[in-house]
C-alpha cells in the first residue's frame, strides 16, 4: 500500500511538472516580439520545461545520492524559471500578461515541494545509514 501511495504521488508530480511546462510554453508564445522578450522566452522555455525532464531522470536515479542530485537540478531550474517570470512580470507591468500569476504561483508551489522532497530524502538516507 505504501508503495502504491508513493507511486501515485510520483505520477501526480510528474503530471504537474508536465502541465507546468505546457503552461510556460503557452505563456512564452504570448510574449511580445521584442529583443528582451525573445531572450527571456528562450530562458523560460529551457528552464520551464527542464524540471519535467529532469524529474524523469530522477525517477531512474542509480542511487539515493544520484536521486538527490537530480532533484536539486529540478529545484535549480524551477528557481531560475521563477526569477525569469518575475522579471517578465516587472517588464510588462504596464500591459499585464494573462496567467503570469497562475504560472508564478505554480512555480513557487513546485519549489516548495522539491525543497521538502530533498530534505525528506536526505533525512531518510541518513536514517537508513545509521
Amino acid at each position: 500500500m505504501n508503495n502504491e501511495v508513493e507511486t501515485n504521488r510520483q505520477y501526480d508530480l510528474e503530471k504537474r511538472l508536465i502541465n507546468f511546462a505546457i503552461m510556460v510554453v503557452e505563456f512564452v508564445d504570448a510574449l511580445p516580439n521584442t529583443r528582451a522578450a525573445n531572450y527571456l522566452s528562450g530562458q523560460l522555455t529551457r528552464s520551464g520545461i527542464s524540471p519535467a525532464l529532469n524529474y524523469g531522470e530522477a525517477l531512474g536515479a542509480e542511487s539515493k545520492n544520484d536521486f538527490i542530485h537530480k532533484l536539486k537540478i529540478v529545484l535549480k531550474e524551477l528557481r531560475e524559471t521563477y526569477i525569469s517570470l518575475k522579471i517578465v512580470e516587472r517588464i510588462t507591468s504596464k500591459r499585464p500578461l494573462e496567467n503570469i500569476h497562475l504560472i508564478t504561483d505554480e512555480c513557487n508551489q513546485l519549489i516548495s515541494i522539491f525543497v521538502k522532497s530533498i530534505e525528506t530524502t536526505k533525512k531518510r538516507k541518513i536514517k537508513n545509514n545509521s
Side-chain angles (χ1 to χ4, degrees):
M1 171 88 178
N2 217 7
N3 284 340
E4 184 179 320
V5 170
E6 194 165 310
T7 301
N8 285 339
R9 282 187 198 147
Q10 286 174 348
Y11 174 74
D12 290 344
L13 192 50
E14 179 180 294
K15 186 176 177 182
R16 199 165 166 180
L17 287 165
I18 290 168
N19 288 340
F20 177 71
I22 292 166
M23 287 170 65
V24 168
V25 168
E26 290 172 348
F27 174 77
V28 163
D29 285 346
L31 289 176
N33 188 17
T34 65
R35 280 189 298 182
N38 289 337
Y39 177 80
L40 287 165
S41 293
Q43 287 293 112
L44 274 168
T45 300
R46 287 185 293 279
S47 66
I49 294 172
S50 178
L53 302 174
N54 282 299
Y55 183 70
E57 288 283 324
L59 294 179
E62 296 175 10
S63 66
K64 285 278 189 206
N65 284 339
D66 189 33
F67 181 71
I68 292 167
H69 174 72
K70 286 179 167 82
L71 288 185
K72 285 181 177 181
I73 293 170
V74 171
L75 180 57
K76 179 182 150 211
E77 295 294 328
L78 285 167
R79 285 182 170 148
E80 182 179 331
T81 303
Y82 184 80
I83 301 261
S84 295
L85 287 166
K86 294 307 250 177
I87 292 169
V88 170
E89 183 177 34
R90 295 212 30 212
I91 288 171
T92 61
S93 63
K94 292 180 184 171
R95 46 182 157 69
L97 295 168
E98 200 173 318
N99 295 331
I100 193 163
H101 295 294
L102 291 173
I103 298 167
T104 304
D105 183 56
E106 177 65 1
C107 189
N108 196 37
Q109 287 181 37
L110 288 167
I111 288 169
S112 296
I113 290 167
F114 279 95
V115 165
K116 190 66 177 169
S117 294
I118 291 166
E119 288 173 4
T120 302
T121 304
K122 283 181 177 179
K123 285 178 187 174
R124 284 183 186 162
K125 181 180 172 253
I126 291 168
K127 185 178 176 182
N128 290 339
N129 287 339
S130 300

